[in-house]
Structures are given as C-alpha cells and as structure tokens.
Amino acid sequence: EGFIFVSKAGVPAITSFEQAKGLQRLVAVDNGAPAALLRANGITDIDTSSSEGLNLKKLIAGRGDAWFTTTSLGRYVIKSENVDEKSLLLGPTVVKTQFWTLASKSVPGDVVEKIRSGFDAARKDGRFAAFRARLN
C-alpha cells in the first residue's frame, strides 16, 4: 500500500517525484497527504480539489498530466466512476505506507484486539490477499 501516480495509458509510468517534476501539472487532494507529499518533494504546480473523483475526471479531461493518490483509493475511484482501467496507467508505489485502522477512543481495548487479530488471521490464511486481488 502506498502512494502512486496515475496517468493516461500510452505514456511512460511515473516512478519518482524527480520524474514528476518534469510534468506541467499534477492533480491531488488539497487538504491531505497527497498534496503535502508533492510539495515536500519540490512539486508546486498542483491542481487540487477536495474530491478524488474530481481529480480522476481532471486527468481524463487533460487538465493534469498525472493524478497522485493512494493505491487503494485510486483503484476504488476508478472502478466506482466506471472508467476503463485500460485507459489509465497506475505507476509503481512511490511512497510506501503502513496499513492502519482508526477507531474512536471509546472503542474498548478488547474490541480493538479482536479487529487486530482478525486482520492478522486474514493476512495469514490468504483472505486479505484474495480481497486485494478483487480490488486490483
């Protein structure tokens, strides 16, 4: 899991921030990690919005050379917007992230532990990989 650049099919995959600096415009979510990571790596020409769906539409319409997002969210938005995946190129992971789950402070510790152990079991017995394969 991590952050990737998504571009239109037929162009070379964007594999680094250094390569992305050569692009005219990138699209990313404005108040979150994607835009912050781009800026932290010296990329300032970013067309931001509050919606990943809008960022995908901007990419398709040619308003951006690439869309910077997380792997799973990018794939989810592409599928939910019924975009032909063959028309896009999902680059390799540029920034790896840890998988994490959030919960309210009021969630009892035993419930958190059940979720954690259930997730660990799903990873070990292949259910998690099967779920990820359906997303990919």
Side-chain angles (χ1 to χ4, degrees):
E1 188 62 26
F3 291 87
I4 61 171
F5 289 99
V6 180
S7 54
K8 288 186 177 181
V11 299
I14 300 160
T15 60
S16 69
F17 289 112
E18 200 57 41
Q19 183 182 3
K21 287 179 184 177
L23 301 175
Q24 288 186 338
R25 176 159 296 164
L26 293 165
V27 296
V29 170
D30 54 4
N31 290 326
L37 281 168
L38 291 171
R39 288 184 184 106
N41 284 279
I43 299 169
T44 57
D45 195 1
I46 309 166
D47 184 356
T48 61
S49 75
S50 60
S51 162
E52 291 289 31
L54 183 56
N55 287 330
L56 173 61
K57 290 175 183 173
K58 287 178 184 180
L59 175 66
I60 292 169
R63 289 185 48 200
D65 297 316
W67 167 34
F68 189 64
T69 187
T70 63
T71 308
S72 55
L73 187 55
R75 289 180 180 187
Y76 171 78
V77 171
I78 290 165
K79 286 186 180 203
S80 67
E81 295 288 333
N82 295 317
V83 174
D84 180 7
E85 293 180 46
K86 293 178 183 175
S87 68
L88 301 172
L89 175 63
L90 281 70
T93 301
V94 177
V95 177
K96 291 186 183 242
T97 58
Q98 294 292 321
F99 183 83
W100 43 271
T101 303
L102 297 175
S104 167
K105 288 182 181 181
S106 64
V107 175
D110 63 321
V111 173
V112 172
E113 189 50 43
K114 281 182 183 179
I115 293 169
R116 215 177 259 147
S117 64
F119 179 74
D120 288 343
R123 287 188 85 125
K124 288 177 185 170
D125 69 16
R127 287 179 290 148
F128 180 75
F131 171 73
R132 292 291 299 164
R134 285 193 333 213
L135 294 177
N136 295 339

